[in-house]
Amino acid sequence: MGAFTTKKTLYGNCSQIPVVAEQIRQAFVSEGFDVRMENPVHEQVIYISKGGLFKAALGLRSALKITMKPSTDGNIDFKAGISIFKQQLVPTMITMWVFSPIVIAQIWGMIKQSKLDEKAVAIAERALYQTRTF
């Protein structure tokens, strides 16, 4: 259910995925985002969110999911997307049916959030550049 998605191949050693993930985590935490990281087999998943209980109830909570995994050529497949996570599905549906004027606020929130995926890619590329050996 992503509205904005960025997919990119990051040219660097796939063994650097944990380092890149930590750099992304630190950057977003320093800006007040809640960050949760998962490490399923062969990939790194990062969930980034921001917004209090009131925003979550209205479905306005910022939400970004980042997935990094090794590509077939040894680089990193990076995917970041703004989406409505499970915790927001019901509030968003209620908002759409009952409080239709609030949908405008949701759309505005999604426009503001659309730059989060680009920011995550920039952080990842910078982290890979800093860890390269020349």
Side-chain angles (χ1 to χ4, degrees), residues 23-40:
Q23 293 260 342
I24 292 170
R25 186 194 69 76
Q26 288 176 2
F28 280 95
V29 165
S30 71
E31 293 185 20
F33 286 85
D34 297 318
V35 180
R36 182 171 52 95
M37 294 175 45
E38 294 179 0
N39 195 2

Side-chain angles (χ1 to χ4, degrees), residues 11 28 52 72 81 91 108 121 128-129 133:
Y11 298 99
F28 280 95
T72 56
W108 178 249
V121 169
L128 284 172
Y129 181 75
T133 55

Side-chain angles (χ1 to χ4, degrees), residues 74-120:
N75 290 306
I76 301 168
D77 285 334
F78 182 96
K79 181 179 176 184
I82 302 297
S83 64
I84 299 170
F85 292 145
K86 292 179 257 181
Q87 68 218 23
Q88 290 185 268
L89 185 58
V90 173
T92 301
M93 298 302 281
I94 292 170
T95 300
M96 289 176 68
W97 289 100
V98 179
F99 303 107
S100 58
I102 296 176
V103 172
I104 294 170
Q106 286 182 320
I107 293 169
W108 178 249
M110 290 177 73
I111 290 169
K112 287 179 22 182
Q113 294 172 31
S114 68
K115 299 294 181 191
L116 291 179
D117 55 343
E118 294 170 8
K119 178 179 179 171

Side-chain angles (χ1 to χ4, degrees), residues 59-78:
L60 300 174
R61 186 173 177 152
S62 299
L64 177 67
K65 178 183 178 184
I66 299 170
T67 305
M68 291 183 284
K69 60 184 177 182
S71 64
T72 56
D73 59 359
N75 290 306
I76 301 168
D77 285 334
F78 182 96

